[in-house]
Each structure stands twice: as C-alpha cells, then as structure tokens.
Amino acid sequence: MMPFTTGVDLTAFNTLALPGRARAFCRIDDETQLADAARADGPRFILGGGSNLVVTGDIDRLVLHMAIPGKRLVTQDDEAFYVEAGAGENWHAFVQWTLAQGWPGLENLSLIPGKVGAAPIQNIGAYGLEAGDLLHSVTAWDFEKRAFFQVDRSQCRFGYRDSLFKQEGWHLDGRIAITRVVFRLPRQWQPNMRYADISQELAARQINQPTAQDLADAVIAIRQRKLPDPAQLPNAGSFFHNPVVSAELAALLKSEFPTLPCYPQPDGRIKLAAGWLIEQAGWKGKSLGPVGMYEKQALVLVNHGGACGEDVQRTMSAVQAAVRERFAVALTPEPIFL
Ligand code: FAD
Ligand code: EPU
C-alpha cells in the first residue's frame, strides 16, 4: 500500500489560501500509483494546482495531488503537431514550451494558473480560445473500473466552462483522474485577435503582424494588469460564470441598463458580464469580513488574509443576493467546493 500522509493542511495547496486538513494526502507522480490508490477505502478528491477550488474546512477524503510530469511531441503530419503533457505539468509553462518549440496555437491561454490535467475539466478559456478548441484526446484512470480509458475531443462535450467530466459529476467525487492530455496544434496558424483587449494591446505595442509569442506577451500583460497574483492576494480567478440568459431577458435588461455588456451566443442566448453586474450592484472593491470582490475586477473574489471557507461562502451569498435583487439574474460559482 502506498504511503499516505494524514492530516495535511491544504492552505498552501489552494490559491485562495483557505485552511482545511485532509484526512489523507498522497502525491501521484506516475500512473502506476493510481491502481494502488484505488484500493484505499473512503471518498477521494483529485487535486491539481488548487486554483479553482474553495476549501470549506477539514476534509474527510483521500486527496490525490496530481504531479505526473512529461511534455513531448507524439507525432506530426502535414497538417498538425500532436503534443502531449502529463497532468501534473504547469499549464502556463506547457503553453510557453509549445511556443518555444515552434508549435503555436495555445498562446491566448497564457498565464492561466493550474495544471494541464485540470484544463479539460472546465474547458479553460480566455481571450477567444478554449482548451477544447485544440484538444485532441484525454487519457484518464477510472477508479471504479480500475482501468485507463481514452476520450477524444468529440466525446468531451465541451461547452463554456463545461465538459463531459463535469456533466458526469466526476470532478466532485474523484471518480476519474486525468493523467495525460494531447493537443492538436495545426501548422496553419492565424493570430486570434477577436478580443478587443488583444487588438488594442498589440496596437499600443505597434505590432501589426504579431507572432504567437507577441500574442502570448500581450495576453500576459493584460492579465497582469487586471487579475491579482494569487501569491500576493489569494484568489481563484473569476468567482462566477458569466450568466447566459434568454434573448428576451437580455433585451429587457438592456432597455433598463443601456451600458450592460451583452455577448450573443451561437444558440441565440446572450452571455452577460458578471463583473459588470457585480460592480453595478455595488460590490466592486467591497468586502464582508476578510473576503471581498477585487477593486480592479469585480468578478474576482479575494481573501484579504486569514479567511476560511465560511467567510468565502458568506461573501458569495451576499454578492449573489445583491445581483439577484438588482437584475433578477442568478450567479453560479465557477470554483469547485471541497
Ligand atoms: P484544481 O483547482 O486543483 O481543480 C479544479 C477541478 O478539477 C477540481 O474539481 C479537481 O478535482 C479537478 N481536477 C484537477 N486535476 C484533475 C485531474 N488530473 N484529473 C481529474 N480531475 C482533476 N480559468 C479559466 O478557464 N480561464 C481563465 O482565464 C482563468 N484565469 C484564472 C486566473 C487566476 C488568477 C486564477 C487563480 C484562476 C483562473 N482560472 C481561469 C481558473 C483555474 O486556473 C482553472 O480552472 C484551472 O484549470 C484549474 O487548474 P488546477 O490544476 O488548479 O485545478
Ligand atoms: N466589467 C466591469 N466591471 C468589472 C469587471 C468587468 O464592468 O469590475 C466588464 C468589463 O468592462 C467588460 C466585461 O465586464 O465589458 C468583461 O470583463 P473582462 O473582459 O475582464 O472578462 P470577464 O468576463 O470578467 C472572462 C473570463 C476570464 C477570462 C476573461 C478573458 C469567465 C467567468 N471569466 O472574464 O476567465 O480570463 O474573460 O477572456 O468567463 C476565469 O474563468 O477564472 C477567468 C479569469
């Protein structure tokens, strides 16, 4: 049986820096350990970088910290490079490595915290690109079947911050552990500058024909301006999804609040900017106890120091109530509650 450490404090393992002791904790450095871990009794949780997590208190679970390393070119053909990374690789370092190898494509997802293995779970996205757009396949261990399985992109049912893995609830009960992810990076590359923030940043840098690295640098600069560094001010990025509402409700709100940002979706519904709703509801830069909404980006919930899971839930509920009262819109949290 593998060595588990008991009573490990998770404060350093989540970017909101929330305290909580895990009943047992084990670092997974290679695939062979998973069969062993499957023999352990009781509930489990799969932990990556802890950057999309709310630790609510002590946890009566076996926490498996995914640290499987490895980055390699699996194969290439006339059209694309197929690049694989282990679940424990740092996402941003992986993206920068692909760019340095001359395999562009993932640059708009630069500087997203966390590990490669978590990227398919909520289909991480930023600046007009989602991981699922370029993902080729995922390999995972199924703890119930005690076997590895592989799913390709079409089976992953990717959506906005959504995937097969979330739809099946596997992220909540630790049913599967993603071990490796392969991306298909087409040789034919076009800069993705759909987001106004990016084109403005490149214009300010007087770059007309950007390379993939230019885009990465622009994204990094924008993110550093807007988002707090968890090492300085603990946070989990956007704390709520941007709500997607019916066209009718969006039109009604727009008539009452003409500056409301609205983003039409392919299915006819409208995505609203949660950060705008929260700011208008008076919560930008406001705190309740040690937990508040960031002064430069109202969608980011921050721990000003010493907060616990209950403090986070209190502020979360107050923000949800304020937005519901003002706009009749429900906000759903993005992080996973452990
Ligand atoms: P964790 O927080 O450890 O886990 C998240 C979930 O995934 C949990 O349910 C966990 O059980 C599951 N999980 C993790 N690894 C595995 C695995 N190997 N197998 C099975 N399940 C697993 N997200 C975006 O989409 N876009 C952004 O622009 C963005 N910006 C952010 C900015 C900041 C400053 C921060 C702090 C967060 C941001 N996030 C963003 C959220 C976060 O970075 C992503 O959700 C990221 O993918 C989480 O990775 P992680 O390894 O930290 O996962
Ligand atoms: N806004 C405000 N006030 C605020 C914050 C935002 O009015 O305090 C307005 C902005 O002016 C803009 C709109 O809201 O009109 C959108 O803001 P922004 O471009 O900053 O992006 P976002 O919608 O808040 C989303 C993702 C981010 C991702 C960025 C860039 C979600 C939940 N969040 O944020 O993802 O990096 O777009 O693509 O979809 C994350 O998921 O953790 C995350 C950081």
Side-chain angles (χ1 to χ4, degrees):
M1 190 51 104
M2 62 199 311
F4 300 130
T5 316
T6 53
V8 171
D9 178 27
L10 296 175
T11 310
F13 292 99
N14 73 92
T15 62
L16 266 168
L18 301 171
R21 288 190 182 282
R23 174 173 59 77
F25 184 95
C26 182
R27 191 182 139 110
I28 301 293
D29 290 296
D30 73 74
E31 276 95 337
T32 60
Q33 292 170 279
L34 291 166
D36 221 6
R39 283 193 282 275
D41 288 334
R44 105 186 54 78
F45 186 78
I46 313 300
L47 177 67
S51 63
N52 211 26
L53 215 57
V54 175
V55 173
T56 56
D58 288 348
I59 290 123
D60 187 20
R61 298 209 210 182
L62 163 62
V63 172
L64 299 176
H65 187 213
M66 298 302 288
I68 296 173
K71 306 190 280 275
R72 69 183 180 111
L73 179 68
V74 182
T75 187
Q76 54 179 302
D77 57 27
D78 291 348
E79 289 180 358
F81 302 101
Y82 296 77
V83 185
E84 181 190 79
E89 290 289 336
N90 174 277
W91 172 262
H92 174 67
F94 168 62
V95 171
Q96 299 313 296
W97 175 78
T98 59
L99 298 179
Q101 305 297 311
W103 308 324
L106 293 170
E107 54 280 351
N108 289 34
L109 302 180
S110 293
L111 215 60
I112 296 181
K115 311 278 189 183
V116 168
I121 304 284
Q122 75 158 10
N123 183 21
I124 55 170
Y127 300 101
L129 182 72
E130 291 178 333
D133 296 340
L134 292 174
L135 185 140
H136 176 261
S137 57
V138 173
T139 305
W141 168 260
D142 183 327
F143 284 93
E144 272 176 31
K145 295 191 176 141
R146 299 197 182 186
F148 286 98
F149 66 99
Q150 213 179 49
V151 282
D152 64 27
R153 176 174 179 263
S154 65
Q155 296 168 294
C156 286
R157 306 201 298 247
F158 285 126
Y160 166 60
R161 300 291 189 270
D162 198 19
S163 70
L164 159 77
F165 310 103
K166 282 184 78 174
Q167 290 155 23
E168 297 293 335
W170 294 333
H171 62 307
L172 299 174
D173 65 6
R175 158 86 189 258
I176 64 124
I178 291 175
T179 51
R180 291 184 187 272
V181 186
V182 176
F183 290 90
R184 178 183 183 278
L185 306 175
R187 286 176 190 273
Q188 273 223 341
W189 176 82
Q190 286 281 326
N192 175 347
M193 298 189 291
R194 277 184 297 246
Y195 258 56
D197 275 358
I198 295 199
S199 45
Q200 282 161 16
E201 180 70 24
L202 290 168
R205 293 169 175 231
Q206 300 183 318
I207 297 172
N208 296 321
Q209 291 184 316
T211 63
Q213 190 61 53
D214 290 333
L215 265 120
D217 293 344
V219 167
I220 290 168
I222 296 165
R223 295 183 67 99
Q224 282 174 338
R225 275 202 300 270
K226 275 196 183 176
L227 298 167
D229 175 356
Q232 313 290 329
L233 185 57
N235 73 91
S238 298
F239 197 80
F240 299 102
H241 292 151
N242 281 326
V244 182
V245 303
S246 68
E248 291 75 25
L249 177 56
L252 201 71
L253 288 169
K254 190 86 180 164
S255 66
E256 203 176 333
F257 307 100
T259 57
L260 171 78
C262 289
Y263 310 100
Q265 300 300 291
D267 65 1
R269 294 189 302 156
I270 311 287
K271 193 191 271 181
L272 307 177
W276 187 93
L277 298 171
I278 295 168
E279 178 172 353
Q280 297 301 312
W283 268 91
K284 189 171 190 166
K286 182 172 164 177
S287 295
L288 186 60
V291 175
M293 305 310 288
Y294 188 47
E295 59 189 7
K296 292 195 232 162
Q297 224 294 4
L299 188 46
V300 179
L301 178 144
V302 293
N303 171 4
H304 289 293
C308 64
E310 265 176 39
D311 297 316
V312 169
Q313 298 193 43
R314 208 171 296 126
T315 298
M316 173 184 90
S317 301
V319 172
Q320 284 172 318
V323 167
R324 201 170 39 237
E325 218 164 275
R326 183 101 200 263
F327 302 104
V329 172
L331 292 182
T332 314
E334 180 182 290
I336 308 306
F337 285 67
L338 169 61

